[in-house]
mmCIF file of all heavy atoms in Angstrom:
data_model
loop_
_atom_site.group_PDB
_atom_site.id
_atom_site.type_symbol
_atom_site.label_atom_id
_atom_site.label_comp_id
_atom_site.label_asym_id
_atom_site.label_seq_id
_atom_site.Cartn_x
_atom_site.Cartn_y
_atom_site.Cartn_z
ATOM 1 N N SER O 876 -7.294 3.311 3.985
ATOM 2 C CA SER O 876 -5.977 3.417 3.332
ATOM 3 C C SER O 876 -6.054 4.294 2.089
ATOM 4 O O SER O 876 -5.141 5.071 1.804
ATOM 5 C CB SER O 876 -5.448 2.021 2.973
ATOM 6 O OG SER O 876 -6.118 1.484 1.854
ATOM 7 N N ARG O 877 -7.161 4.195 1.328
ATOM 8 C CA ARG O 877 -7.319 5.025 0.136
ATOM 9 C C ARG O 877 -7.417 6.502 0.519
ATOM 10 O O ARG O 877 -6.821 7.363 -0.119
ATOM 11 C CB ARG O 877 -8.593 4.604 -0.627
ATOM 12 C CG ARG O 877 -8.606 3.177 -1.115
ATOM 13 C CD ARG O 877 -7.863 2.977 -2.400
ATOM 14 N NE ARG O 877 -8.568 3.512 -3.548
ATOM 15 C CZ ARG O 877 -8.404 3.074 -4.794
ATOM 16 N NH1 ARG O 877 -7.571 2.079 -5.042
ATOM 17 N NH2 ARG O 877 -9.040 3.621 -5.796
ATOM 18 N N ALA O 878 -8.181 6.780 1.593
ATOM 19 C CA ALA O 878 -8.345 8.168 2.031
ATOM 20 C C ALA O 878 -7.023 8.738 2.537
ATOM 21 O O ALA O 878 -6.681 9.896 2.254
ATOM 22 C CB ALA O 878 -9.410 8.247 3.118
ATOM 23 N N LEU O 879 -6.269 7.940 3.271
ATOM 24 C CA LEU O 879 -4.965 8.399 3.772
ATOM 25 C C LEU O 879 -4.026 8.717 2.619
ATOM 26 O O LEU O 879 -3.269 9.695 2.662
ATOM 27 C CB LEU O 879 -4.352 7.337 4.695
ATOM 28 C CG LEU O 879 -5.009 7.176 6.066
ATOM 29 C CD1 LEU O 879 -4.550 5.882 6.737
ATOM 30 C CD2 LEU O 879 -4.669 8.382 6.966
ATOM 31 N N THR O 880 -4.070 7.894 1.584
ATOM 32 C CA THR O 880 -3.221 8.131 0.416
ATOM 33 C C THR O 880 -3.579 9.445 -0.265
ATOM 34 O O THR O 880 -2.693 10.189 -0.721
ATOM 35 C CB THR O 880 -3.364 6.971 -0.583
ATOM 36 O OG1 THR O 880 -2.984 5.753 0.054
ATOM 37 C CG2 THR O 880 -2.483 7.187 -1.801
ATOM 38 N N MET O 881 -4.877 9.749 -0.314
ATOM 39 C CA MET O 881 -5.332 10.962 -0.986
ATOM 40 C C MET O 881 -4.877 12.239 -0.281
ATOM 41 O O MET O 881 -4.815 13.300 -0.897
ATOM 42 C CB MET O 881 -6.854 10.955 -1.113
ATOM 43 C CG MET O 881 -7.409 9.857 -2.015
ATOM 44 S SD MET O 881 -6.832 9.965 -3.729
ATOM 45 C CE MET O 881 -7.727 11.418 -4.290
ATOM 46 N N ILE O 882 -4.556 12.149 1.015
ATOM 47 C CA ILE O 882 -4.068 13.338 1.736
ATOM 48 C C ILE O 882 -2.591 13.170 2.097
ATOM 49 O O ILE O 882 -2.096 13.755 3.065
ATOM 50 C CB ILE O 882 -4.924 13.645 2.989
ATOM 51 C CG1 ILE O 882 -5.015 12.438 3.919
ATOM 52 C CG2 ILE O 882 -6.306 14.106 2.577
ATOM 53 C CD1 ILE O 882 -5.786 12.736 5.203
ATOM 54 N N ASN O 883 -1.905 12.335 1.296
ATOM 55 C CA ASN O 883 -0.445 12.197 1.368
ATOM 56 C C ASN O 883 0.058 11.685 2.713
ATOM 57 O O ASN O 883 1.151 12.043 3.155
ATOM 58 C CB ASN O 883 0.230 13.543 1.034
ATOM 59 C CG ASN O 883 -0.120 14.036 -0.353
ATOM 60 O OD1 ASN O 883 -0.143 13.256 -1.313
ATOM 61 N ND2 ASN O 883 -0.430 15.318 -0.477
ATOM 62 N N ARG O 884 -0.724 10.816 3.343
ATOM 63 C CA ARG O 884 -0.285 10.172 4.584
ATOM 64 C C ARG O 884 0.006 8.706 4.277
ATOM 65 O O ARG O 884 -0.614 7.790 4.791
ATOM 66 C CB ARG O 884 -1.344 10.347 5.670
ATOM 67 C CG ARG O 884 -1.439 11.788 6.174
ATOM 68 C CD ARG O 884 -2.745 12.113 6.870
ATOM 69 N NE ARG O 884 -2.992 11.315 8.055
ATOM 70 C CZ ARG O 884 -4.087 11.434 8.817
ATOM 71 N NH1 ARG O 884 -5.007 12.349 8.503
ATOM 72 N NH2 ARG O 884 -4.269 10.660 9.878
ATOM 73 N N GLU O 885 1.012 8.526 3.396
ATOM 74 C CA GLU O 885 1.280 7.197 2.861
ATOM 75 C C GLU O 885 1.744 6.198 3.916
ATOM 76 O O GLU O 885 1.380 5.031 3.869
ATOM 77 C CB GLU O 885 2.322 7.272 1.733
ATOM 78 C CG GLU O 885 1.801 7.835 0.431
ATOM 79 C CD GLU O 885 1.872 9.341 0.351
ATOM 80 O OE1 GLU O 885 2.267 9.961 1.365
ATOM 81 O OE2 GLU O 885 1.521 9.913 -0.699
ATOM 82 N N SER O 886 2.555 6.660 4.879
ATOM 83 C CA SER O 886 3.046 5.721 5.883
ATOM 84 C C SER O 886 1.899 5.147 6.709
ATOM 85 O O SER O 886 1.886 3.957 7.041
ATOM 86 C CB SER O 886 4.072 6.399 6.799
ATOM 87 O OG SER O 886 3.486 7.479 7.503
ATOM 88 N N GLU O 887 0.900 5.988 7.023
ATOM 89 C CA GLU O 887 -0.268 5.501 7.754
ATOM 90 C C GLU O 887 -1.111 4.583 6.864
ATOM 91 O O GLU O 887 -1.699 3.605 7.346
ATOM 92 C CB GLU O 887 -1.108 6.672 8.243
ATOM 93 C CG GLU O 887 -0.443 7.521 9.314
ATOM 94 C CD GLU O 887 -1.280 8.745 9.664
ATOM 95 O OE1 GLU O 887 -2.311 8.585 10.346
ATOM 96 O OE2 GLU O 887 -0.900 9.859 9.235
ATOM 97 N N ALA O 888 -1.157 4.892 5.581
ATOM 98 C CA ALA O 888 -1.893 4.038 4.643
ATOM 99 C C ALA O 888 -1.259 2.659 4.581
ATOM 100 O O ALA O 888 -1.956 1.629 4.577
ATOM 101 C CB ALA O 888 -1.919 4.677 3.254
ATOM 102 N N ILE O 889 0.069 2.614 4.554
ATOM 103 C CA ILE O 889 0.781 1.332 4.527
ATOM 104 C C ILE O 889 0.481 0.533 5.779
ATOM 105 O O ILE O 889 0.210 -0.675 5.731
ATOM 106 C CB ILE O 889 2.295 1.566 4.358
ATOM 107 C CG1 ILE O 889 2.584 2.078 2.936
ATOM 108 C CG2 ILE O 889 3.070 0.276 4.627
ATOM 109 C CD1 ILE O 889 4.011 2.540 2.736
ATOM 110 N N SER O 890 0.516 1.195 6.942
ATOM 111 C CA SER O 890 0.224 0.504 8.204
ATOM 112 C C SER O 890 -1.189 -0.056 8.204
ATOM 113 O O SER O 890 -1.440 -1.168 8.693
ATOM 114 C CB SER O 890 0.406 1.464 9.388
ATOM 115 O OG SER O 890 1.740 1.901 9.485
ATOM 116 N N THR O 891 -2.116 0.716 7.648
ATOM 117 C CA THR O 891 -3.514 0.268 7.583
ATOM 118 C C THR O 891 -3.654 -0.948 6.680
ATOM 119 O O THR O 891 -4.357 -1.915 7.014
ATOM 120 C CB THR O 891 -4.411 1.415 7.081
ATOM 121 O OG1 THR O 891 -4.267 2.539 7.947
ATOM 122 C CG2 THR O 891 -5.873 0.989 7.044
ATOM 123 N N LEU O 892 -2.962 -0.944 5.554
ATOM 124 C CA LEU O 892 -3.009 -2.086 4.644
ATOM 125 C C LEU O 892 -2.325 -3.301 5.247
ATOM 126 O O LEU O 892 -2.761 -4.443 5.038
ATOM 127 C CB LEU O 892 -2.370 -1.718 3.303
ATOM 128 C CG LEU O 892 -3.186 -0.774 2.419
ATOM 129 C CD1 LEU O 892 -2.375 -0.316 1.218
ATOM 130 C CD2 LEU O 892 -4.473 -1.442 1.964
ATOM 131 N N GLN O 893 -1.254 -3.087 5.995
ATOM 132 C CA GLN O 893 -0.591 -4.203 6.672
ATOM 133 C C GLN O 893 -1.519 -4.847 7.696
ATOM 134 O O GLN O 893 -1.550 -6.066 7.845
ATOM 135 C CB GLN O 893 0.697 -3.717 7.338
ATOM 136 C CG GLN O 893 1.811 -3.404 6.339
ATOM 137 C CD GLN O 893 3.029 -2.767 6.980
ATOM 138 O OE1 GLN O 893 2.922 -2.113 8.024
ATOM 139 N NE2 GLN O 893 4.183 -2.943 6.360
ATOM 140 N N LYS O 894 -2.294 -4.015 8.379
ATOM 141 C CA LYS O 894 -3.285 -4.528 9.331
ATOM 142 C C LYS O 894 -4.356 -5.336 8.603
ATOM 143 O O LYS O 894 -4.763 -6.412 9.066
ATOM 144 C CB LYS O 894 -3.920 -3.363 10.094
ATOM 145 C CG LYS O 894 -5.007 -3.753 11.098
ATOM 146 C CD LYS O 894 -5.544 -2.496 11.801
ATOM 147 C CE LYS O 894 -6.723 -2.813 12.707
ATOM 148 N NZ LYS O 894 -6.329 -3.676 13.851
ATOM 149 N N LEU O 895 -4.790 -4.821 7.451
ATOM 150 C CA LEU O 895 -5.787 -5.528 6.648
ATOM 151 C C LEU O 895 -5.274 -6.906 6.231
ATOM 152 O O LEU O 895 -5.963 -7.919 6.379
ATOM 153 C CB LEU O 895 -6.147 -4.690 5.421
ATOM 154 C CG LEU O 895 -7.034 -5.351 4.359
ATOM 155 C CD1 LEU O 895 -8.391 -5.718 4.932
ATOM 156 C CD2 LEU O 895 -7.206 -4.435 3.160
ATOM 157 N N ILE O 896 -4.054 -6.940 5.712
ATOM 158 C CA ILE O 896 -3.472 -8.195 5.247
ATOM 159 C C ILE O 896 -3.277 -9.162 6.399
ATOM 160 O O ILE O 896 -3.501 -10.382 6.282
ATOM 161 C CB ILE O 896 -2.132 -7.933 4.529
ATOM 162 C CG1 ILE O 896 -2.381 -7.162 3.220
ATOM 163 C CG2 ILE O 896 -1.395 -9.234 4.237
ATOM 164 C CD1 ILE O 896 -1.117 -6.609 2.602
ATOM 165 N N SER O 897 -2.852 -8.631 7.542
ATOM 166 C CA SER O 897 -2.600 -9.483 8.709
ATOM 167 C C SER O 897 -3.881 -10.083 9.281
ATOM 168 O O SER O 897 -3.936 -11.277 9.605
ATOM 169 C CB SER O 897 -1.884 -8.657 9.796
ATOM 170 O OG SER O 897 -1.752 -9.411 10.994
ATOM 171 N N GLU O 898 -4.928 -9.256 9.389
ATOM 172 C CA GLU O 898 -6.151 -9.718 10.037
ATOM 173 C C GLU O 898 -7.126 -10.399 9.079
ATOM 174 O O GLU O 898 -7.994 -11.166 9.509
ATOM 175 C CB GLU O 898 -6.848 -8.543 10.715
ATOM 176 C CG GLU O 898 -6.017 -7.934 11.870
ATOM 177 C CD GLU O 898 -6.763 -6.846 12.620
ATOM 178 O OE1 GLU O 898 -7.953 -6.626 12.318
ATOM 179 O OE2 GLU O 898 -6.138 -6.222 13.502
ATOM 180 N N TYR O 899 -6.971 -10.092 7.776
ATOM 181 C CA TYR O 899 -7.873 -10.686 6.775
ATOM 182 C C TYR O 899 -7.057 -11.248 5.614
ATOM 183 O O TYR O 899 -7.075 -10.712 4.504
ATOM 184 C CB TYR O 899 -8.878 -9.632 6.266
ATOM 185 C CG TYR O 899 -9.780 -9.100 7.358
ATOM 186 C CD1 TYR O 899 -9.410 -7.973 8.108
ATOM 187 C CD2 TYR O 899 -10.991 -9.714 7.643
ATOM 188 C CE1 TYR O 899 -10.230 -7.494 9.118
ATOM 189 C CE2 TYR O 899 -11.826 -9.224 8.652
ATOM 190 C CZ TYR O 899 -11.433 -8.113 9.391
ATOM 191 O OH TYR O 899 -12.248 -7.649 10.374
ATOM 192 N N PRO O 900 -6.304 -12.300 5.864
ATOM 193 C CA PRO O 900 -5.395 -12.828 4.828
ATOM 194 C C PRO O 900 -6.097 -13.352 3.580
ATOM 195 O O PRO O 900 -5.483 -13.453 2.524
ATOM 196 C CB PRO O 900 -4.666 -13.969 5.554
ATOM 197 C CG PRO O 900 -5.592 -14.358 6.667
ATOM 198 C CD PRO O 900 -6.250 -13.085 7.093
#
């Protein structure tokens, strides 16, 4: 998610963080 943010792919970063929160609450 940090790497995606650095190349301005914020929507993919959000999806990745949502997956993190969902699978590792």
